[in-house]
Amino acid sequence: IADTWLTEQGVRHRLISRTGRPEREIIAAAAAEHADLIALGAGLGADHGPGQHPISPIARFVVDHALCDVLLLRPPDPDEADWLT
């Protein structure tokens, strides 16, 4: 879905497939590609109770180690699910 939407919006991007620990592969791929921006899902869970982290461990690692800007995307609200169309 993201690839189609980005293409329709005229946003230059590249999809890269790698194997390994996701957080480390994201950082390595961004460095190898000299990325200006990493956009990734924040990995927010459905339950935001006490002690819950606001972003996933993968997103946290990327934010902490990226050499470029990071855009965290929250999951769409089910009531707003038509924003991609």
Side-chain angles (χ1 to χ4, degrees):
I1 291 176
D3 181 49
T4 301
W5 186 84
L6 290 167
T7 300
E8 289 171 354
Q9 303 307 310
V11 177
R12 195 180 77 172
H13 65 284
R14 229 174 81 145
L15 297 179
I16 299 170
S17 178
R18 296 173 66 122
T19 58
R21 294 187 58 175
E23 63 274 22
R24 296 190 182 278
E25 293 302 321
I26 291 167
I27 295 299
E33 296 290 321
H34 305 287
D36 296 319
L37 176 71
I38 298 170
L40 86 148
L44 300 174
D47 180 23
H48 301 293
Q52 295 293 321
H53 294 283
I55 63 174
S56 72
I58 292 170
R60 177 82 262 161
F61 185 93
V62 172
V63 167
D64 289 344
H65 295 89
L67 299 175
C68 62
D69 292 336
V70 178
L71 173 65
L72 293 177
L73 304 167
R74 69 173 176 82
D77 185 317
D79 297 332
E80 302 171 358
D82 62 344
W83 70 275
L84 280 174
T85 59

